[in-house]
């Protein structure tokens, strides 16, 4: 989990996992959750890097949200970067699709 | 869960769910589990109705196994029938594929 650490109050940079290195069980566990499904769907409908972590319509607190994003990064689904005080997101649509063909479509079509 | 009930020691017939009525979240939760993934993979490599519940190579006890099969039935993945003392299984490959195209392939290809 990211934590506050010196350097002008910037958090530690988020750690990412390449979708190519994600197991099918890890990917399925990441998407088999209503909150993460909602995050993925909102991200899919947004421009890359346009959404900060606090901008999603999900009924969870900050710590839980941070955990959910960590799981999504670990499954190769989401990339994050810090822009000043905001942590912004993009869905790794092409890379994830290359690793798990059709899975994102399944999540997004209903 | 099936329970012993009169009529010559036959269990209650298993309850099934039509894949057409299964939500994507229910399907994903059903397959995002190492034991159930193993059951699905072994079933996919076996003839319909050739495998009894006790014939799978999974490291769980009878009660847990019964729960896993119940989850698979509830996700429209597995059909069961009782043949004398054995409860035999088939993977609902075509129906599940029609509801969630590509998902079974994803589970079976690695």
């Amino acid at each position: 989990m990211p934590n506050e650490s010196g350097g002008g109050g910037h958090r530690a940079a988020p750690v990412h996992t390449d979708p190519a290195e994600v197991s099918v069980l890890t990917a399925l566990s990441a998407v088999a959750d209503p909150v993460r499904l909602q995050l993925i769907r909102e991200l899919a409908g947004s421009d890359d890097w346009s959404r900060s972590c606090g901008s999603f319509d999900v009924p969870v607190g900050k710590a839980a949200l941070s955990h959910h994003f960590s799981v999504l990064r670990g499954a190769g689904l989401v990339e994050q970067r810090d822009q000043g005080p905001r942590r912004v997101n993009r869905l790794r649509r092409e890379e994830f699709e290359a690793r798990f063909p059709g899975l994102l479509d399944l999540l997004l079509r209903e």
Side-chain angles (χ1 to χ4, degrees), chain A residues 51-95:
Chain A
R51 301 291 299 270
S52 67
C53 291
S55 72
F56 294 86
D57 185 23
V58 288
V60 296
K62 269 182 132 171
L65 191 60
S66 174
H67 166 71
H68 286 302
F69 275 113
S70 165
V71 172
L72 292 175
R73 290 197 310 270
L77 268 160
V78 166
E79 188 177 2
Q80 300 187 306
R81 50 166 88 137
D82 290 329
Q83 284 185 345
R86 300 166 77 225
R87 176 158 287 181
V88 290
N89 297 275
R90 86 169 176 96
L91 188 61
R92 303 179 73 168
R93 200 188 278 258
E94 287 74 21
E95 306 107 289

Side-chain angles (χ1 to χ4, degrees), chain A residues 19 27 75-77 92-101 103-104:
Chain A
L77 268 160
R92 303 179 73 168
R93 200 188 278 258
E94 287 74 21
E95 306 107 289
F96 193 80
E97 170 67 18
R99 174 70 183 92
F100 301 107
L103 185 52
L104 263 181

Side-chain angles (χ1 to χ4, degrees), chain A residues 3 6 16 20 31-32 37 41 73-74 79 86 93 106 110:
Chain A
N3 58 334
H16 293 94
V31 298
L37 211 47
R41 287 168 172 171
R73 290 197 310 270
E79 188 177 2
R86 300 166 77 225
R93 200 188 278 258
L106 210 72
E110 61 191 75

